[in-house]
Amino acid sequence: MAKSPNAFRTISEAAEEVGAPQHVLRFWETKFSFITPLKRAGGRRFYRPQDVVLLKAVRRLLHDEGLTIKGVQRLHREQGLKRIAAYGDPEGQVSFEPEGEVAAVRSPGGSTVRLRQVLAELEGARARLEAVLSRSA
């Protein structure tokens, strides 16, 4: 069963989708400040849809367009994240909200899922779970 376009990806899933080895994705994190997957306990990485788009963009810029690492860094500095993202998502399926906002992902039917709402629901569930666990301890 395939994951939803909104689902987070593990590093192995992201590497397969991007077409680059896992160690390369970890290296790119050190070179490009805009690549920031979520890290959980034990350092396990989870890539959001916008992270995968950025990784695809970096791969295309480095391998297909012939830019250097410094060239991609300069492009980001001078033209911004949306310009970089356009190389990884030419159809515009993933939007990059202004600073402080959470990205939204368009589903195949055209509706938009707001990740902020999903995050709020998860945080509420976590709080309820912690309350139950603290009562039983």
Side-chain angles (χ1 to χ4, degrees):
M1 180 178 195
K3 280 190 171 181
S4 146
N6 305 338
F8 285 34
R9 307 283 192 257
T10 64
I11 192 167
S12 60
E13 292 167 334
E16 184 176 329
E17 194 169 331
V18 170
Q22 294 177 28
H23 70 275
V24 171
L25 302 189
R26 289 190 288 273
F27 173 74
W28 287 346
E29 283 178 43
T30 67
K31 297 298 179 185
F32 304 111
S33 61
F34 54 87
I35 298 177
T36 55
L38 296 175
K39 290 187 184 174
R40 295 291 182 220
R44 188 174 165 111
R45 290 165 171 81
F46 289 97
Y47 293 85
R48 297 166 292 237
Q50 64 267 35
D51 295 322
V52 174
V53 165
L54 292 172
L55 290 168
K56 287 179 179 179
V58 166
R59 184 185 183 289
R60 180 174 173 201
L61 289 166
L62 293 174
H63 295 271
D64 299 342
E65 304 296 326
L67 270 67
T68 62
I69 289 174
K70 287 187 186 260
V72 175
Q73 291 168 339
R74 184 179 314 111
L75 182 66
H76 174 247
R77 188 173 52 252
E78 293 174 359
Q79 298 186 22
L81 196 57
K82 286 185 179 183
R83 179 73 172 121
I84 298 277
Y87 284 94
D89 184 27
E91 293 87 31
Q93 291 295 319
V94 177
S95 68
F96 288 79
E97 299 290 330
E99 194 66 31
E101 289 293 316
V102 178
V105 179
R106 285 189 215 126
S107 67
S111 65
T112 300
V113 176
R114 303 298 285 168
L115 296 181
R116 184 176 301 287
Q117 178 184 359
V118 173
L119 178 61
E121 291 171 8
L122 288 172
E123 287 173 342
R126 179 180 179 189
R128 290 189 300 275
L129 180 59
E130 287 175 349
V132 169
L133 291 175
S134 67
R135 278 186 247 145
S136 64

